[in-house]
């Protein structure tokens, strides 16, 4: 769950950074920029790729885990609820 939380956060923050960058370039009269073979402009696929990956990642986890991840801002906030899930499911104590 920690990995999923961190990967999701990385994807979302990557898209946020790309959006901010293209918006700043647009304000300067530059329609986009290129990094390697990826061209970033407006809200094209490259700019929103992180959002798409984050959504696809969360679509693969159970609703309860998804909810915990979406409601958490910091890693420690997912650990306690996840411990409860493990206790309920497997009878394991920490």
């Amino acid at each position: 769950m920690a990995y999923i939380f961190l990967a999701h956060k990385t994807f979302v923050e990557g898209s946020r950074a790309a959006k901010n960058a293209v918006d700043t370039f647009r304000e300067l009269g530059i329609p986009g920029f290129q990094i390697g073979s990826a061209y970033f402009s407006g809200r094209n696929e490259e700019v929103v790729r992180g959002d798409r990956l984050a959504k696809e990642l969360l679509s693969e986890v159970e609703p309860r885990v998804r909810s915990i991840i979406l409601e958490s801002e910091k890693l420690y906030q997912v650990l306690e609820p996840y411990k409860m899930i493990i206790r309920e499911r497997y009878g394991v104590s920490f």
Side-chain angles (χ1 to χ4, degrees), residues 5-15 50:
F5 171 80
L6 293 171
H8 178 266
K9 187 172 183 71
T10 299
F11 294 149
V12 170
E13 289 177 0
S15 271

Side-chain angles (χ1 to χ4, degrees), residues 13-23 33 40 43 46-48:
E13 289 177 0
S15 271
R16 183 178 308 124
K19 290 172 190 173
N20 288 338
V22 296
D23 291 349
F33 61 95
F40 296 80
R43 295 297 183 265
E46 299 296 342
V47 174
V48 298

